[in-house]
């Protein structure tokens, strides 16, 4: 079975963030496939390379990046949500004449068309967090 995840809770929200990562790890350990993780709303903060993580919390951007690298999983930040929150990849920063990119290199910015594609290509979409 092919799973995709929709994460809309920020990294600091342990009720949506931690379970999403735990579920993703469980999927890749199983016989199932984790196709894509789409970060929407405040969930795009998972892809920020500028986040300052408290010592008692893991760096979720690095955890997602490691999972994606090891298991060839797409990590997609909703471009509208990300730009509104100042999470820009190199191309978007350049297009907006912004002085620097702030998105972690393991995450790609894309529009809601990518989310629609996720729904079409996946067998199951599992949502973590509320919609904001």
């Amino acid at each position: 079975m092919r799973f995709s995840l929709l994460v809309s809770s920020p990294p600091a929200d342990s009720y949506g963030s931690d379970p999403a990562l735990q579920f993703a790890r469980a999927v890749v350990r199983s016989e199932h496939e984790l196709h894509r993780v789409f970060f929407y709303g405040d969930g795009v903060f998972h892809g920020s390379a500028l986040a300052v993580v408290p010592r008692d919390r893991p760096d979720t951007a690095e955890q997602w990046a490691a999972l994606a690298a090891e298991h060839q999983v797409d990590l997609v930040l909703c471009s509208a949500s990300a730009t509104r929150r100042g999470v820009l990849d190199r191309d978007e920063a350049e297009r907006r004449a912004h002085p620097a990119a702030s998105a972690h290199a393991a995450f790609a910015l894309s529009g809601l068309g990518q989310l629609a594609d996720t729904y079409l290509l996946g067998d199951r979409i599992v949502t973590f967090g509320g919609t904001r």
Side-chain angles (χ1 to χ4, degrees):
M1 184 167 298
R2 183 182 244 192
F3 284 90
S4 290
L5 308 182
L6 173 63
V7 179
S8 59
S9 59
D13 180 3
S14 60
Y15 293 105
S17 176
D18 293 345
L21 192 53
Q22 291 170 6
F23 185 85
R25 288 178 177 150
V27 169
V28 297
R29 283 192 309 263
S30 73
E31 60 196 45
H32 304 294
E33 175 189 353
L34 181 60
H35 172 64
R36 179 174 294 138
V37 183
F38 192 91
F39 298 89
Y40 179 76
D42 286 343
V44 300
F45 287 121
H46 286 273
S48 174
L50 302 179
V52 177
V53 181
R55 290 184 184 170
D56 65 337
R57 295 284 300 162
D59 185 338
T60 58
E62 287 300 326
Q63 289 183 315
W64 283 112
L67 181 89
E70 186 176 344
H71 300 284
Q72 292 74 47
V73 176
D74 289 340
L75 301 177
V76 179
L77 304 175
C78 172
S79 58
S81 294
T83 55
R84 254 184 264 134
R85 289 162 175 83
V87 181
L88 308 173
D89 64 4
R90 189 178 331 176
D91 291 339
E92 192 64 23
E94 187 176 296
R95 188 175 80 74
R96 294 177 178 270
H98 198 275
S102 58
H104 190 287
F107 294 77
L109 263 70
S110 191
L112 290 176
Q114 190 80 1
L115 180 59
D117 181 65
T118 301
Y119 277 91
L120 290 173
L121 295 176
D123 296 316
R124 297 285 186 269
I125 307 294
V126 182
T127 303
F128 295 89
T131 56
R132 296 181 183 140

